[in-house]
Amino acid sequence: MELLTVMMQAAESASGLAKAGGAVGAGIAAIAAGIGVGNIGKSALESIARQPEAANDIRANMILAAALVEGVALFGVIAGLLAVVL
């Protein structure tokens, strides 16, 4: 009976740790996405400043890359929030 009590306590503490890890992971995913999109924007603006005639191509590629980064970040945030809820 004592072993069962110890195992239940360990499971409860692991559940709390998993929730904390999920919350931290969701936050890191959101911050990393912000940094990534910022770097994409910075590089695109520098490229447009160097070659203004290629602005339309650079802008299209920037939007595509930012959307891909945001999509991956969304998966990370959802996985973190699911770890908190479930």
Side-chain angles (χ1 to χ4, degrees):
M1 208 40 123
E2 225 173 280
L3 180 62
L4 183 60
T5 306
V6 170
M7 289 177 66
M8 291 296 287
Q9 288 174 349
E12 288 176 11
S13 66
S15 174
L17 191 58
K19 289 183 180 185
V24 170
I28 290 173
I31 290 170
I35 292 170
V37 172
N39 285 337
I40 291 169
K42 180 186 101 168
S43 298
L45 288 177
E46 287 176 357
S47 299
I48 291 172
R50 290 180 184 185
Q51 290 186 334
E53 65 276 0
N56 289 333
D57 293 335
I58 294 169
R59 187 178 303 116
N61 288 329
M62 177 192 70
I63 291 171
L64 179 64
L68 292 173
V69 169
E70 288 294 328
V72 171
L74 181 64
F75 284 130
V77 169
I78 289 173
L81 292 178
L82 282 175
V84 171
V85 173
L86 300 178

